[in-house]
Amino acid sequence: DAIKNYGTVNADGHSSVSYGILFDKTVNDLEALNGTLRAAKRQKKVAFDKEILMMPNDKDVQVVWLE
């Protein structure tokens, strides 16, 4: 829901948000954001270009909701 709530719809029609925004908006709600994103990536629910996302280095990496 956070990707849809804080992101925008990209050219492919999928919701997309930068990791930095997602991190900032969910830091108090999702303690294990990185683990949640990695599990969702394995289930092909989200896509991003890195193996693991870390702040602040990956703040501009787009996280895309595929469903």
Side-chain angles (χ1 to χ4, degrees), residues 3-45:
I3 295 172
K4 292 178 186 176
N5 290 340
Y6 303 119
T8 58
V9 177
N10 64 18
D12 295 332
H14 297 290
S15 294
S16 175
V17 66
S18 72
Y19 180 66
I21 291 172
L22 189 61
F23 182 87
D24 289 343
K25 298 292 187 178
T26 63
V27 70
N28 293 324
D29 300 324
L30 282 173
E31 293 178 15
L33 175 62
N34 208 357
T36 302
L37 287 174
R38 289 182 68 204
K41 185 176 182 179
R42 281 193 302 271
Q43 296 172 5
K44 303 203 186 303
K45 293 183 179 188

Side-chain angles (χ1 to χ4, degrees), residues 31-66:
E31 293 178 15
L33 175 62
N34 208 357
T36 302
L37 287 174
R38 289 182 68 204
K41 185 176 182 179
R42 281 193 302 271
Q43 296 172 5
K44 303 203 186 303
K45 293 183 179 188
V46 299
F48 46 90
D49 293 337
K50 300 270 195 140
E51 180 68 29
I52 188 168
L53 298 172
M54 301 295 287
M55 281 298 285
N57 296 341
D58 299 322
K59 65 182 168 95
D60 295 324
V61 172
Q62 290 295 304
V63 179
V64 180
W65 181 253
L66 299 175

